[in-house]
């Protein structure tokens, strides 16, 4: 590694450490209690989220906590839009509940309104796609959802290795690239102003690692995407459904 590259790497590491400290070190929290879950966020981020959505040029990363009270996904009281998502065929995979709960979080905590589900969004050609689109403060926002699982949090440690920084960085790189690609392909009538990458994690330690690795990504990948990291507690079903 050249001296210049080493200096860039050291600067990125320092920036990552500062970002993690700012997000997770003891600061005032804002907690809201809803029917099926408790939602907690860093009070310093309470207005920053909507400011980031309104910023056409810059992205950012935020953290919050979803404390689940529902014993199973079937017992979760869904909104009409959430039920529509659940009952609408998606493009494949087994992550429909993570997409539905992602929407319910934004709908309940930020008064989002569903616009289009995964298969309702139209594109110019085949390629990367987005999970759903929603309206917040009269802005069309695309949302891509991914789950980051540390199997130690789900009592599967003896079957799976521990989550590594390399795996987290690889996942973020892949998903951030997909966000940019789908934004380029979406048809004008369904085009969003901004896109959110919603990362659902199994623990605080996994969430901290997302923050640390976010700042190691190449700047072009960060683009104007808002990364929302949600630490999901008492919700193991969210990661296996």
């Amino acid at each position: 590694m050249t001296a210049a590259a080493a200096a860039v790497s050291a600067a990125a590491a320092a920036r990552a450490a500062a970002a993690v400290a700012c997000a997770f070190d003891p600061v005032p929290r804002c907690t809201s209690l809803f029917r099926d879950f408790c939602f907690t966020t860093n009070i310093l981020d309470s207005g920053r989220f909507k400011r980031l959505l309104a910023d056409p040029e810059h992205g950012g990363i935020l953290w919050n906590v979803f404390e689940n009270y529902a014993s199973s996904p079937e017992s979760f009281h869904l909104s009409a839009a959430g039920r529509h998502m659940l009952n609408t065929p998606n493009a494949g995979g087994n992550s429909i509940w993570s997409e539905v709960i992602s929407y319910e979080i934004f709908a309940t905590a930020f008064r989002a309104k569903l616009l289009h589900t995964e298969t309702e969004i139209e594109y110019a050609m085949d390629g990367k796609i987005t999970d759903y689109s929603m309206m917040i403060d009269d802005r069309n926002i695309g949302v891509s959802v991914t789950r980051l699982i540390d199997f130690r949090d789900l009592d599967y440690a003896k079957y799976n290795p521990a989550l590594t920084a390399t795996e987290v960085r690889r996942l973020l790189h892949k998903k951030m690239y997909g966000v940019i690609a789908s934004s380029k392909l979406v048809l004008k009538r369904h085009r969003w102003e901004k896109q959110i990458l919603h990362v659902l994690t199994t623990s605080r330690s996994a969430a901290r690692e997302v923050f640390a690795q976010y700042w190691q990504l190449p700047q072009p990948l960060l683009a104007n995407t808002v990364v929302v990291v949600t630490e999901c507690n008492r919700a193991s079903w969210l990661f296996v459904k």
Side-chain angles (χ1 to χ4, degrees), residues 73-145:
E74 291 77 17
S75 64
F76 202 98
H77 294 85
L78 297 177
S79 63
R83 288 193 298 274
H84 173 68
M85 290 181 71
L86 185 64
N87 295 323
T88 301
N90 67 1
N94 60 354
S95 60
I96 183 61
W97 272 106
S98 61
E99 295 165 16
V100 171
I101 296 302
S102 165
Y103 170 73
E104 292 293 336
I105 290 172
F106 289 118
T108 307
F110 300 104
R111 299 183 179 180
K113 301 296 182 183
L114 180 67
L115 290 176
H116 299 101
T117 64
E118 185 175 44
T119 53
E120 292 170 346
I121 299 172
E122 298 179 355
Y123 299 88
M125 62 182 70
D126 291 342
K128 300 293 183 181
I129 62 176
T130 288
D131 290 317
Y132 65 92
S133 61
M134 62 184 180
M135 187 75 74
I136 295 183
D137 291 349
D138 296 323
R139 290 186 173 84
N140 187 336
I141 305 295
V143 184
S144 292
V145 184

Side-chain angles (χ1 to χ4, degrees), residues 23-34 36-47 49 62-69 104-106 108-110 198-201 204 207 211 228-234:
F24 295 98
D25 284 355
V27 295
R29 309 290 190 203
C30 178
T31 299
S32 301
L33 183 63
F34 303 107
D36 290 304
F37 66 93
C38 177
F39 184 77
T40 302
T41 187
N42 181 330
I43 200 168
L44 301 178
D45 287 340
S46 58
F49 174 63
L62 306 101
W63 159 85
N64 51 53
V65 179
F66 167 80
E67 187 82 24
N68 171 61
Y69 298 145
E104 292 293 336
I105 290 172
F106 289 118
T108 307
F110 300 104
H198 194 187
V199 184
L200 306 178
T201 72
R204 179 73 50 89
F211 264 73
V228 177
V229 185
T230 299
E231 171 191 333
C232 301
N233 296 326
R234 302 199 298 181

Side-chain angles (χ1 to χ4, degrees), residues 6 18 59 75 79 101 104 114 151 168 173 179 189-190 212 221 233:
S75 64
S79 63
I101 296 302
E104 292 293 336
L114 180 67
F151 287 97
V168 174
H173 193 286
V179 164
R189 63 177 173 271
H190 286 169
L221 272 185
N233 296 326

